[in-house]
Amino acid sequence: MASKCNLSALFPIQSQLDNALDNATNQQEKENLVYQYLRKLDDNDDLRIPDFDEGLEWLNTEGPLSFTRELAGKVVVLDFFTYCCINCIHILPDLHQLEKKHSVKDGLVIVGVHSAKFPNEKVLQNVRSAVLRYNITHPVVNDGDARLWHELEVTCWPTLVLVGPRGNLLFSLVGEGHRERLALFTNTSLRHYRDQVLLSGHLVGTKLYRDSLPPSLLSFPGKVAVDSSRKRLAIADTGHHRVLVVSSIGLVLYSIGGPESGRKDGNLDEATFCSPQGIVIKGDTVFVADTENHLIRKIDLLKGQVSTLAGVGYQGTDMEGGAMGPQQPISSPWDLALGTAGGEEDNMLWVAMAGTHQIWALFLENGKLPKRSESKAGTCVRFAGSGNEENRNNAYPHKAGFAQPSGLAPAPEEPWGCLYVADSESSTVRSLALKDGAVKLLVGGERDPLNLFAFGDVDGKGVDAKLQHPLGVAWAPDQGLLYVADSYNHKIKVVDPKTRQCLVVAGTGEAGDVLGPSLTESSFNEPGGLCVGEGGRVLYVADTNNHHLKVLDLDTKTVSLFPISVEDAVDSAPTKSSGPCKVPKLPKSASRVKMPPLAVSPGQTVNLELVLSLPEGTKLTEDAPSFWTLSAEGNDWLVENQVVTGDIPNLSQPLSIPAILPTVLKATEASPSLTLSVWVYCCLAGGGACMMKAASFTQPLQIGSTPRKGSVTVTLAHAF
């Protein structure tokens, strides 16, 4: 009879191994101890793991996985995670390293078991976005009700569970920081079971979600900052690993980094970042929280140089600091704000150090924190937060506790004199006094400092107001108001610090991408950052999961998209500014329609009117947005600086897609043509089977020599 199949039955056995490993003096001794442990487990009756429930939603696979079928004969690493958790994000590089070393053919499979903390994290589309955002390429199951979590008696995020080729429990690792032991357990298990001829080299069907997506100009933008004096915006284009500096009308002035991640200083056209988040722009200087590189970077637009101000390029565990920036390890800086401390104006950067649950200070010039000795320029040091993940307010900054602080907004003016902090995991907004470091609650959460589950969506005062994982805050000094990106409630809220009253400004509370007709009828999808412009009359919002920057006009009560154009961009890196992933290839089954030649003139607009019909009894699939792409293979100049992709929201009416022909033609040997390709996802109206349909329309062009204005319309019709 099998032993009880949960981690509480495994812990007493593994604890003996863990103690022995702590005392081992070399690698060979450690491997021998693990071999002995595995043989002991094999000699006893198996600790069989429960299988995944049927009907769960899977990502990056061709279908559901089971320990009795696809995962039989494999060593499986189960990563119990929730996508909001910074500690869970920290172990992804460890898993990526394992995947590079051991393939599925070698016998290793990593499976992410998403067990949500917040209600918003149970939604499949939001989990999909997180899988894309964190570049997770292994299978992920959305265990929204945490069934396997409870059956195995998992107690915290992240937890790694290693399972043998017969579905037998082997090891458990709780929390982050176990890279060496994870590698030891995995490597030894693979060798042990390979020697026993129990491993199988069969493939596990994968289907990466990212490969089905159209390109987008922005990818999961994290934070946005405004320099009102220069009328410029800086955008952390997080998913494209780059920073954009744009004019007030959306013209891209600089594009630095991307599309791939990296860690390199130097000229603007060679510097690279890895998932940048926090951003500050002042004049010709941009400061960047290079989050997954664990660095603070400086972009000097005048000199055309990127340099590192703080961090060593890997995650640090130091919770005190005090070293000069480039020698000071830091952990997942998530937001930045300019501040003044005992010196010249803006002589330092406040840093939301999400990885250690603290607020740090990076001195740009000599300065002095309250009740501290003077710090020299370049020093990076903790200001507030014990490092414990708590919702603890305290008059002494080092005794206060934060829980993944992710947004900063200085309000140095009297009577405020504080730094506002969006403390995401406690679902609160807190204030940090600039004169003495006292930490107080503004809104959200509850009074128990250890309860990080006091979230919701409630307007109210102080602790009676409820938020859900807020990621951004922005101060409007002229109005004395604080705006909050209440990310997991998909809303923008406003707080009056005088009354501590919190109210909804915009958003329906449901994830969506609708503009208007009013602020509260507009929708967002996990907005991650925002800033105040035009003297407090406008909010710029990084609508993260919608891959948009949106503008909230507080006077007219309207929401609009902020237009971004790469036309005539200067000092950008053309080879990198393309950023978006490649357009997916059309399947062989796609219909290919070639239209008769169309007579047009330079300067005219070709309106491609798309008319599509679905198979009878089907409807568009909401969770897999249908889309179109426009191209001109061999004649890319035809579609330069134009919108070349977009969604297909419905098929009830024709969709008009304009293509503006250049007034000056380029020499070409072949007759140019435009190609409109469509990918349509549909399901049976009564539920059940879903399918993807694709088609392309090629429109040859006979372009005359005389420029003309006006437009020509051609109808592209197809019934699937």
Side-chain angles (χ1 to χ4, degrees):
M1 183 176 178
S3 303
K4 188 178 180 182
C5 54
N6 58 38
L7 298 186
S8 62
L10 183 67
F11 286 151
I13 308 171
Q14 188 181 331
S15 62
Q16 299 176 26
L17 171 65
D18 290 334
N19 291 333
L21 288 172
D22 289 339
N23 296 318
T25 58
N26 58 64
Q27 186 66 19
Q28 188 60 55
E29 184 181 354
K30 292 178 181 179
E31 291 179 4
N32 290 337
L33 286 169
V34 178
Y35 277 126
Q36 293 170 20
Y37 170 87
L38 289 171
R39 284 194 290 268
K40 181 180 178 181
L41 284 188
D42 290 342
D43 289 341
N44 296 323
D45 205 0
D46 291 334
L47 287 163
R48 296 284 184 176
I49 190 171
D51 213 340
F52 301 103
D53 281 359
E54 293 185 6
L56 294 179
E57 301 155 323
W58 287 81
L59 296 171
N60 290 339
T61 67
E62 293 177 347
L65 303 183
S66 167
F67 288 106
T68 61
R69 300 189 308 271
E70 296 83 2
L71 301 178
K74 303 291 187 185
V75 170
V76 181
V77 177
L78 298 177
D79 172 24
F80 287 88
F81 77 110
T82 185
Y83 71 77
C84 69
C85 166
I86 192 67
N87 312 91
C88 300
I89 296 171
H90 285 164
I91 68 168
L92 290 176
D94 301 349
L95 299 179
H96 289 325
Q97 189 176 71
L98 271 188
E99 289 174 301
K100 286 182 179 180
K101 185 173 182 181
H102 304 291
S103 68
V104 175
K105 287 186 176 181
D106 295 332
L108 177 69
V109 178
I110 297 174
V111 177
V113 185
H114 190 266
S115 310
K117 171 184 176 179
F118 294 98
N120 181 68
E121 294 179 311
K122 295 183 179 183
V123 180
L124 177 63
Q125 186 59 43
N126 298 337
V127 181
R128 279 192 181 123
S129 294
V131 166
L132 290 172
R133 194 160 62 239
Y134 301 133
N135 194 30
I136 298 173
T137 56
H138 53 252
V140 172
V141 59
N142 183 23
D143 190 9
D145 294 325
R147 292 287 296 276
L148 189 56
W149 166 290
H150 292 303
E151 288 191 69
L152 284 179
E153 298 182 4
V154 177
T155 58
C156 72
W157 300 280
T159 293
L160 298 176
V161 176
L162 275 73
V163 182
R166 299 189 303 270
N168 47 315
L169 283 174
L170 299 179
F171 307 95
S172 175
L173 294 166
V174 178
E176 60 174 295
H178 302 298
R179 174 177 289 192
E180 182 180 318
R181 194 151 291 187
L182 173 63
L184 172 66
F185 287 167
T186 305
N187 298 342
T188 310
S189 298
L190 288 170
R191 286 197 296 268
H192 173 71
Y193 288 113
R194 189 178 299 115
D195 292 343
Q196 294 190 17
V197 199
L198 290 176
L199 292 185
S200 170
H202 70 270
L203 297 177
V204 174
T206 59
K207 184 180 179 182
L208 298 186
Y209 176 59
R210 69 183 184 189
D211 292 343
S212 65
L213 296 177
S216 60
L217 185 58
L218 296 178
S219 176
F220 300 106
K223 304 290 185 183
V224 57
V226 63
D227 180 1
S228 298
S229 63
R230 299 287 186 92
K231 295 187 177 181
R232 296 195 292 196
L233 290 170
I235 305 165
D237 191 9
T238 309
H240 288 146
H241 309 287
R242 68 178 178 176
V243 172
L244 298 179
V245 178
V246 303
S247 71
S248 59
I249 59 171
L251 182 66
V252 175
L253 306 173
Y254 302 87
S255 174
I256 310 107
E260 304 299 327
S261 63
R263 193 187 80 208
K264 187 177 182 181
D265 287 340
N267 296 330
L268 298 188
D269 61 354
E270 62 183 8
T272 53
F273 302 86
C274 186
S275 298
Q277 283 283 347
I279 198 160
V280 171
I281 180 169
K282 183 179 181 182
D284 290 310
T285 303
V286 182
F287 299 102
V288 183
D290 195 5
T291 304
E292 292 191 18
N293 275 329
H294 309 284
L295 300 173
I296 307 296
R297 315 282 290 281
K298 175 184 176 181
I299 303 172
D300 189 321
L301 300 176
L302 207 56
K303 295 181 179 178
Q305 290 288 311
V306 176
S307 57
T308 295
L309 298 182
V312 294
Y314 56 82
Q315 182 191 348
T317 57
D318 184 3
M319 295 187 182
E320 292 294 334
M324 297 302 287
Q327 285 78 50
Q328 177 61 60
I330 60 177
S331 180
S332 298
W334 208 272
D335 201 11
L336 302 174
L338 277 169
T340 303
E344 296 181 5
E345 184 180 358
D346 294 340
N347 68 331
M348 55 164 296
L349 283 172
W350 296 116
V351 184
M353 205 70 76
T356 56
H357 313 292
Q358 296 172 315
I359 307 300
W360 283 46
L362 171 61
F363 283 89
L364 305 174
E365 304 292 343
N366 293 349
K368 185 176 179 294
L369 291 173
K371 302 178 183 179
R372 299 282 291 271
S373 58
E374 184 172 271
S375 295
K376 293 183 178 180
T379 307
C380 192
V381 64
R382 167 182 71 149
F383 178 44
S386 65
N388 297 324
E389 190 174 6
E390 298 177 334
N391 175 22
R392 188 177 298 278
N393 301 300
N394 200 289
Y396 297 93
H398 289 185
K399 292 184 178 180
F402 295 93
Q404 206 171 308
S406 302
L408 300 175
E413 311 88 353
E414 293 299 332
W416 322 113
C418 70
L419 180 69
Y420 289 114
V421 181
D423 199 39
S424 61
E425 281 294 282
S426 67
S427 294
T428 64
V429 175
R430 325 269 285 281
S431 67
L432 176 57
L434 298 177
K435 65 178 180 180
D436 58 13
V439 177
K440 297 179 181 179
L441 172 71
L442 184 63
V443 292
E446 69 137 292
R447 292 180 176 85
D448 179 358
L450 300 181
N451 183 4
L452 302 181
F453 287 80
F455 53 80
D457 184 9
V458 181
D459 287 354
K461 179 180 178 181
V463 75
D464 294 328
K466 290 292 177 280
L467 309 170
Q468 188 182 177
H469 199 75
L471 288 173
V473 280
W475 177 244
D478 294 341
Q479 293 78 20
L481 296 174
L482 184 73
Y483 291 94
V484 182
D486 192 4
S487 305
Y488 284 8
N489 282 326
H490 315 290
K491 289 181 176 180
I492 306 302
K493 297 184 177 179
V494 65
V495 180
D496 183 344
K498 287 184 179 179
T499 62
R500 298 174 65 209
Q501 188 75 28
C502 179
L503 299 170
V504 174
V505 173
T508 64
E510 299 291 332
D513 193 15
V514 175
L515 300 176
S518 67
L519 293 178
T520 53
E521 292 174 287
S522 300
S523 56
F524 305 87
N525 193 336
E526 294 190 13
L530 73 172
C531 65
V532 174
E534 305 297 328
R537 298 190 303 276
V538 166
L539 295 180
Y540 298 99
V541 177
D543 194 6
T544 304
N545 284 359
N546 282 326
H547 315 293
H548 290 316
L549 186 64
K550 290 181 177 174
V551 183
L552 276 62
D553 189 315
L554 301 177
D555 287 339
T556 62
K557 311 294 189 214
T558 57
V559 181
S560 60
L561 289 181
F562 182 79
I564 297 178
S565 169
V566 297
E567 184 178 0
D568 298 327
V570 297
D571 293 326
S572 60
T575 58
K576 298 180 181 181
S577 60
S578 57
C581 59
K582 293 180 180 179
V583 174
K585 291 183 179 179
L586 283 171
K588 293 182 179 179
S589 60
S591 300
R592 290 168 170 81
V593 180
K594 186 168 184 179
M595 304 294 291
L598 181 68
V600 291
S601 299
Q604 281 191 317
T605 298
V606 179
N607 285 320
L608 302 173
E609 192 171 77
L610 185 63
V611 180
L612 301 175
S613 302
L614 291 178
E616 187 176 354
T618 64
K619 63 177 183 178
L620 288 180
T621 306
E622 294 181 3
D623 288 338
S626 302
F627 63 95
W628 57 265
T629 64
L630 181 64
S631 61
E633 188 172 351
N635 293 283
D636 294 339
W637 54 273
L638 278 174
V639 292
E640 280 182 355
N641 305 321
Q642 300 195 51
V643 177
V644 294
T645 185
D647 292 337
I648 302 177
N650 65 72
L651 301 179
S652 60
Q653 56 188 7
L655 180 64
S656 182
I657 300 163
I660 304 172
L661 299 180
T663 55
V664 179
L665 303 182
K666 293 188 179 181
T668 177
E669 295 181 4
S671 298
S673 60
L674 297 171
T675 299
L676 184 70
S677 301
V678 296
W679 285 260
V680 175
Y681 296 87
C682 56
C683 291
L684 294 175
C690 294
M691 63 202 84
M692 186 272 284
K693 301 287 186 180
S696 72
F697 304 86
T698 300
Q699 178 60 69
L701 302 176
Q702 293 178 339
I703 306 179
S705 57
T706 304
R708 292 180 183 174
K709 295 184 179 181
S711 63
V712 178
T713 299
V714 59
T715 300
L716 308 177
H718 181 71
F720 290 110

